[in-house]
Amino acid sequence: MKVSMIELVRANLAVKEMEQQELPYELAVALVKLRRATQKDFETFLELEKKLVRKYAILDENGNAALENRHFKFRDSSEAPAYLEERRELEETTVEVAISRKAVIPPENITPQALEALSVFLNFKRKE
């Protein structure tokens, strides 16, 4: 299955959110498989994102991006458009995920963000 990196990242984060609750067996199995199938690319995305931020950010004495209000500070604010373009390209990068879309019964409760993210990989079907 081909997806964008940002779809993969959002799904991986949604799985981690869903893992905090007890779920029906089939859904739990599907989520475990999804997490395993997306974890390596998720970690790759995080590493590439860190490199991109370091390229444009003011770095502290430890080489980490200096943060202000939970956002990094640009070395040169005129570079913001270049950063945003590179970030968009990273997010839109297509990756192959070794998983097929599976029909599962949805949980009783799910956030709209998790529903949207997981719907790329899972087909939620209500019990008849």
Side-chain angles (χ1 to χ4, degrees):
M1 164 184 265
K2 290 186 181 191
V3 297
S4 69
M5 282 290 263
I6 197 65
E7 288 174 318
L8 179 142
V9 167
R10 288 178 180 151
N12 188 281
L13 292 171
V15 168
K16 290 175 183 175
E17 174 188 322
M18 297 296 296
E19 288 176 335
Q20 303 305 311
Q21 57 184 299
E22 285 190 33
L23 301 166
Y25 177 78
E26 281 187 29
L27 178 57
V29 168
L31 292 175
V32 167
K33 288 180 180 180
L34 178 56
R35 182 178 34 81
R36 288 179 181 164
T38 60
Q39 189 62 35
K40 185 175 179 181
D41 287 320
F42 175 77
E43 291 169 4
T44 298
F45 177 87
L46 293 180
E47 284 303 313
L48 293 172
E49 181 183 45
K50 282 181 192 177
K51 287 180 184 178
L52 183 59
V53 167
R54 284 190 195 111
K55 179 178 174 181
Y56 291 100
I58 295 173
L59 302 178
D60 65 17
E61 62 277 356
N62 297 320
N64 298 315
L67 300 178
E68 186 174 277
N69 296 327
R70 297 177 21 174
H71 296 286
F72 74 87
K73 294 189 261 182
F74 284 97
R75 283 191 308 254
D76 180 348
S77 61
S78 69
E79 293 181 322
Y83 164 78
L84 292 172
E85 177 61 21
E86 288 185 54
R87 171 66 192 238
R88 185 192 59 74
E89 288 175 5
L90 175 60
E91 290 178 355
E92 292 178 359
T93 301
T94 301
V95 291
E96 182 72 34
V97 181
I99 196 167
S100 57
R101 199 155 190 259
K102 180 166 176 56
V104 294
I105 296 170
E108 287 298 316
N109 298 298
I110 187 169
T111 65
Q113 296 87 356
L115 177 62
E116 182 178 23
L118 294 172
S119 292
V120 173
F121 297 91
L122 302 174
N123 185 16
F124 291 108
K125 297 281 188 185
R126 282 275 178 206
K127 286 183 184 176
E128 299 286 331

